[in-house]
Amino acid sequence: MPKASKKQQRKAEDFKKVKLKVGKKKAPPSNATDTSFTSKSIVLAEQSITVDKSSELTNSRNLTLKDLLSQLRHYSTPIRKDA
């Protein structure tokens, strides 16, 4: 008979009802998804099309020295070559 009582104890553990305490918050369910998140702001540089480059030295493609130097560090080989 002891085997049957052990099986019942195991089944009772699976479906044990949690007693709620007065003044305590309800525990979140086991399958609850954490929806809290943080985001970083995206800072966009001004577009090169709208910038007036008439006072600066530019090449035939209307790129300044600063633009060309930034392209020298580019990961793509053809862009580095064009700079």
Side-chain angles (χ1 to χ4, degrees), residues 40-51:
K40 295 184 177 182
S41 62
I42 299 172
V43 179
L44 297 176
E46 56 187 34
Q47 293 182 355
S48 61
I49 297 171
T50 60
V51 176

Side-chain angles (χ1 to χ4, degrees), residues 5-81:
S5 64
K6 283 186 181 180
K7 285 183 182 178
Q8 285 181 351
Q9 281 182 341
R10 287 186 195 144
K11 285 184 183 180
E13 287 176 6
D14 289 338
F15 300 102
K16 189 183 290 184
K17 183 176 180 182
V18 178
K19 293 188 178 182
L20 300 177
K21 305 287 184 177
V22 176
K24 300 283 183 173
K25 290 187 177 180
K26 187 177 178 182
S30 61
N31 61 350
T33 304
D34 184 22
T35 57
S36 62
F37 62 92
T38 58
S39 63
K40 295 184 177 182
S41 62
I42 299 172
V43 179
L44 297 176
E46 56 187 34
Q47 293 182 355
S48 61
I49 297 171
T50 60
V51 176
D52 182 27
K53 297 180 183 177
S54 60
S55 63
E56 300 177 22
L57 294 174
T58 58
N59 65 357
S60 60
R61 295 186 301 153
N62 200 24
L63 295 174
T64 63
L65 184 61
K66 183 179 178 184
D67 297 334
L68 291 171
L69 290 176
S70 67
Q71 287 182 355
L72 285 175
R73 294 188 299 265
H74 199 272
Y75 61 91
S76 177
T77 308
I79 292 179
R80 282 196 310 259
K81 182 182 146 211

